[in-house]
């Protein structure tokens, strides 16, 4: 889409529609399996109209990933050293679980990109993500050193939160097949909170 002037309301609407359709297709088909024709069909736009806004499948994928990464890192940013250590971590766990409930497509798309070797976001993972995780791991280690949390490896704690909470989105079909009619998120919050509370509560707390 030309960038020499501000987009109109219709142009903004169409761009959002395309990104929503692209997220839908990429999260179910993967980058390699997705086609511009599929995205255009889901968006309800002609292929030429879609290509006016995004010149290629790669451009749409990059736009979706950029938007996704910002959203995905937000919950970890909320962890603050001024708060109660256990409640800060439990709040982060809850936020990640809510994201699995509310943004399953985004979670699957992110997981698929990682499985493929993160060819389009590796630099971001090695810079922005690493810097953020380093910062929050240092906060957690500070709480541990002060005796305010049980001694655990800060990085592996964060990894475990990612894997446990995102499982509900990335393996949704498996979870629902096992649980049947039960809502996967009905008991998950209490279970996950109990797990981390017992793991992280300092001795004698």
């Amino acid at each position: 889409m030309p960038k020499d002037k501000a987009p109109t309301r219709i142009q903004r609407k169409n761009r959002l529609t395309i990104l929503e359709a692209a997220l839908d297709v990429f999260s179910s088909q993967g980058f390699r399996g997705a086609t511009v024709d599929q995205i255009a069909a889901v968006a309800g736009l002609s292929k030429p109209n879609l290509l006016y806004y995004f010149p290629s499948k790669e451009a749409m994928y990059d736009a979706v990933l950029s938007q996704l990464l910002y959203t995905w890192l937000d919950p970890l940013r909320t962890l603050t050293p001024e708060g109660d250590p256990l409640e800060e971590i439990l709040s982060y766990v809850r936020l990640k679980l809510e994201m699995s409930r509310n943004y399953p497509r985004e979670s699957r798309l992110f997981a698929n990109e990682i499985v493929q070797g993160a060819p389009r976001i590796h630099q971001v993972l090695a810079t922005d993500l690493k810097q953020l995780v380093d910062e929050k791991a240092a906060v957690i280690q500070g709480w541990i050193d002060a005796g305010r949390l049980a001694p655990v490896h800060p990085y592996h704690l964060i990894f475990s939160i990612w894997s446990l909470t995102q499982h509900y989105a990335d393996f949704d079909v498996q979870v629902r097949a096992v649980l049947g009619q039960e809502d996967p998120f009905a008991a998950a919050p209490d279970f996950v909170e109990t797990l981390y509370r017992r793991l992280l509560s300092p001795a004698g707390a």
Side-chain angles (χ1 to χ4, degrees):
M1 186 175 67
K3 298 181 179 179
D4 55 342
K5 59 182 180 180
T8 65
R9 181 182 64 82
I10 294 298
Q11 287 173 332
R12 290 195 299 272
K13 179 177 179 294
N14 284 345
R15 180 181 171 84
L16 290 174
T17 297
I18 292 168
L19 290 177
E20 180 71 13
L23 172 60
D24 211 29
V25 175
F26 285 133
S27 66
S28 61
Q29 304 297 325
F31 176 76
R32 293 177 183 175
T35 68
V36 173
D37 288 326
Q38 289 172 330
I39 296 171
V42 173
L45 298 170
S46 68
K47 184 175 179 179
N49 195 5
L50 182 146
L51 292 174
Y52 168 80
Y53 293 91
F54 296 95
S56 65
K57 181 174 78 169
E58 288 78 5
M60 282 182 278
Y61 190 71
D62 288 345
V64 169
L65 275 181
S66 295
Q67 184 172 291
L68 165 61
L69 278 170
Y70 185 83
T71 302
W72 222 239
L73 295 180
D74 260 357
L76 189 54
R77 293 189 182 99
T78 66
L79 194 149
T80 173
E82 289 77 26
D84 176 80
L86 188 54
E87 290 308 317
E88 286 292 319
I89 292 174
L90 291 178
S91 176
Y92 176 54
V93 171
R94 293 184 204 106
L95 285 172
K96 288 293 292 178
L97 200 54
E98 286 173 13
M99 289 189 74
S100 281
R101 178 198 280 270
N102 298 327
Y103 303 103
R105 295 174 304 166
E106 288 86 343
S107 184
R108 288 193 293 270
L109 177 61
F110 184 78
N112 188 61
E113 173 70 10
I114 298 298
V115 168
Q116 297 301 319
R120 290 169 179 79
I121 61 171
H122 187 273
Q123 184 61 30
V124 174
L125 298 181
T127 54
D128 295 3
L129 176 63
K130 176 171 171 47
Q131 180 180 349
L132 179 61
V133 174
D134 285 346
E135 175 189 328
K136 300 308 180 181
V139 170
I140 294 170
Q141 187 61 58
W143 288 332
I144 293 169
D145 293 343
R148 302 179 70 191
L149 285 178
V152 296
H153 193 297
Y155 288 94
H156 290 287
L157 172 62
I158 293 171
F159 296 158
S160 76
I161 293 171
W162 292 349
S163 60
L164 181 55
T165 57
Q166 289 170 216
H167 176 87
Y168 290 94
D170 300 343
F171 291 85
D172 174 74
V173 174
Q174 175 179 276
V175 171
R176 292 182 184 278
V178 172
L179 292 178
Q181 298 300 314
E182 181 183 341
D183 177 6
F185 293 94
D190 286 344
F191 171 79
V192 173
E193 180 167 334
T194 298
L195 183 69
Y196 282 105
R197 190 177 292 279
R198 290 180 178 176
L199 171 69
L200 296 171
S201 294

